[in-house]
Amino acid sequence: MVTTASGDDVQLVTFKVGGQDFAFNILQVERILRYEAPAPLPKAPDFLEGVLQYQGAAVPLVDLRKRLNAAAPLREDTRTVILEFEGGKIGMIVDAVTEVLQVAAQAVTPPPGIVKGLAAEYIAGLVVQNGRTIIVLNANKLLNSKEKLALQAAS
């Protein structure tokens, strides 16, 4: 058996939204913050909670729970994940950040063909481990071009 070099490993920051396990590639994650209510934006799209002051700049805050049609109650472990996003930064509100997971790159499998359309676009892959299915999200694809324009217009 050939052992793969650690360069073939992927580190994932895993989190929960509506009871489901999701993850971002750690390379896209800049920081994880305790949830803080953002400044609301007038005429912002529904999933855009507002902007958060972060390192002297206003970062748009997207409620990933609303984005994924999950209930969005605020809890003690609600977190904001700051991501690198198209040369800037964006915050994603999640129910809880669970762990940093190291998996072999081959363990991240493409979504099944049945997952079509919008969902397939923002799913980078799936990791099945210890009976859990973790959906790896592609941060740059979570918003479609129309939503990105709305985000720019609002912020």
Side-chain angles (χ1 to χ4, degrees), residues 13-14 22 66 69 106 108 129:
V13 175
T14 66
F22 290 94
K66 287 182 182 171
N69 298 323
Q106 304 90 298
V108 182
Q129 194 175 58

Side-chain angles (χ1 to χ4, degrees), residues 51-60 89:
V51 291
L52 193 65
Q53 286 300 316
Y54 174 73
Q55 294 183 340
V59 174
K89 301 196 186 337

Side-chain angles (χ1 to χ4, degrees), residues 3-75:
T3 55
T4 56
S6 63
D8 292 332
D9 282 1
V10 179
Q11 281 195 311
L12 303 173
V13 175
T14 66
F15 57 91
K16 289 205 178 284
V17 171
Q20 170 63 49
D21 289 298
F22 290 94
F24 287 123
N25 187 312
I26 202 165
L27 299 175
Q28 292 181 305
V29 176
E30 176 164 309
R31 182 161 289 165
I32 296 160
L33 306 170
R34 293 184 80 80
Y35 175 79
E36 212 176 289
L41 288 170
K43 295 187 180 149
D46 180 48
F47 61 87
L48 180 62
E49 288 291 292
V51 291
L52 193 65
Q53 286 300 316
Y54 174 73
Q55 294 183 340
V59 174
L61 204 54
V62 170
D63 194 328
L64 200 50
R65 297 149 333 153
K66 287 182 182 171
R67 187 75 191 96
L68 300 171
N69 298 323
L74 288 177
R75 292 199 285 267

Side-chain angles (χ1 to χ4, degrees), residues 48 86 145 147-155:
L48 180 62
E86 302 195 332
S145 47
E147 291 165 337
K148 285 177 187 170
L149 289 173
L151 193 68
Q152 286 167 348
S155 50

